[in-house]
Amino acid sequence: LFRSNFAKEKIYLADYMRSWKKLYKDGTVSESVSIRIDMVIRYVENNYNLMLKDITSDNYQEYINKLAERLSTESVVKYHAYVSGAIKHAVRTDVLLKNPCEYVQIKGNNARTFEEESKFLSLDEYYRLYDVIINSLDPHYRSKYIILLAMVSGMRLGECLGLTWDNLDRDKCTVKIEKGFDYRKTKEFTDCKRSEER
């Protein structure tokens, strides 16, 4: 009787996606696409990080529906493409017996109000902004580096402004968030709401 690989099917989805990306995407896709995949993996890690064996058609549809509440259909399609790409690989390599993403119904919030649209970038807007910043970096304009750091790390503006050289670990390529900076009122360093490495 054919069975799936039970050791591998216990791996968490985000970890599996990182391995899949390293094997099949790194070095074959553009830097901006690589950043997109990393962003989707981070979202999965925070919102849908099940073991492969626990992913079902129903809970995957719930994940897509939750995405659709805040993203356009076009953006949901892109999120789905990267997750389902990794899942298809798991089926091809006998980690999973069947593909729980196969019959998903893609939805999206295509009726966002102007106010909502002005508050958040769509996925496509994010990618366009990222490409513009990367292609126009100039040491004389530090604001672009701050925006880029916030985009790729998820740090708040105050956390970015609160960084000092001792927060950077060049060997590990990490940034330690220990404090913020009140750029609106006091113009002074503040205690950080969270302490973590990125």
Side-chain angles (χ1 to χ4, degrees):
L1 177 67
F2 175 78
R3 302 176 72 89
S4 61
N5 185 326
F6 288 113
K8 289 186 178 179
E9 73 172 4
K10 290 183 179 179
I11 190 171
Y12 286 95
L13 178 58
D15 294 330
Y16 190 83
M17 288 183 70
R18 286 191 182 96
S19 297
W20 165 77
K21 176 179 179 282
K22 184 176 180 180
L23 279 172
Y24 293 96
K25 299 300 178 182
D26 287 354
T28 65
V29 297
S30 68
E31 184 178 359
S32 60
V33 170
S34 181
I35 291 290
R36 294 174 200 177
I37 299 174
D38 287 335
M39 186 175 69
V40 172
I41 292 173
R42 285 197 300 273
Y43 183 85
V44 165
E45 192 163 39
N46 292 324
N47 298 279
Y48 186 67
N49 201 20
L50 303 178
M51 287 185 182
L52 294 185
K53 69 181 183 64
D54 295 326
I55 298 174
T56 66
S57 296
D58 285 348
N59 63 40
Y60 186 74
Q61 184 68 60
E62 289 174 0
Y63 157 75
I64 290 295
N65 292 349
K66 186 176 179 182
L67 272 175
E69 291 174 4
R70 64 182 190 85
L71 296 178
S72 67
T73 303
E74 184 179 1
S75 294
V76 174
V77 166
K78 291 179 180 177
Y79 272 74
H80 166 65
Y82 298 129
V83 176
S84 64
I87 295 293
K88 286 176 184 176
H89 176 261
V91 174
R92 282 196 303 269
T93 55
D94 300 331
V95 175
L96 291 176
L97 291 175
K98 59 183 180 178
N99 184 352
C101 307
E102 190 171 4
Y103 299 110
V104 68
Q105 297 296 311
I106 302 296
K107 306 175 182 181
N109 183 359
N110 296 317
R112 295 186 302 170
T113 65
F114 175 78
E115 182 180 355
E116 290 172 329
E117 289 179 350
S118 65
K119 286 172 62 177
F120 303 103
L121 296 178
S122 70
L123 197 58
D124 288 333
E125 289 167 339
Y126 174 95
Y127 297 147
R128 288 201 298 270
L129 177 59
Y130 176 84
D131 288 337
V132 167
I133 291 175
I134 283 292
N135 292 319
S136 63
L137 286 175
D138 184 332
H140 295 97
Y141 299 98
R142 287 177 287 179
S143 59
K144 292 183 179 180
Y145 293 89
I146 295 171
I147 294 170
L148 185 62
L149 177 61
M151 290 176 69
V152 300
S153 70
M155 292 170 62
R156 301 179 180 96
L157 177 58
E159 292 171 341
C160 291
L161 297 176
L163 292 176
T164 51
W165 288 112
D166 57 317
N167 296 128
L168 307 179
D169 187 327
R170 296 187 183 205
D171 294 330
K172 295 181 180 177
C173 295
T174 60
V175 175
K176 190 168 187 180
I177 306 170
E178 296 180 309
K179 56 189 175 297
F181 186 81
D182 186 347
Y183 56 92
R184 291 179 175 169
K185 296 179 180 178
T186 66
K187 311 297 183 187
E188 295 178 353
F189 289 107
T190 63
D191 291 334
C192 193
K193 293 181 180 178
R194 52 188 174 175
S195 180
E196 59 184 279
E197 287 189 0
R198 297 209 175 186

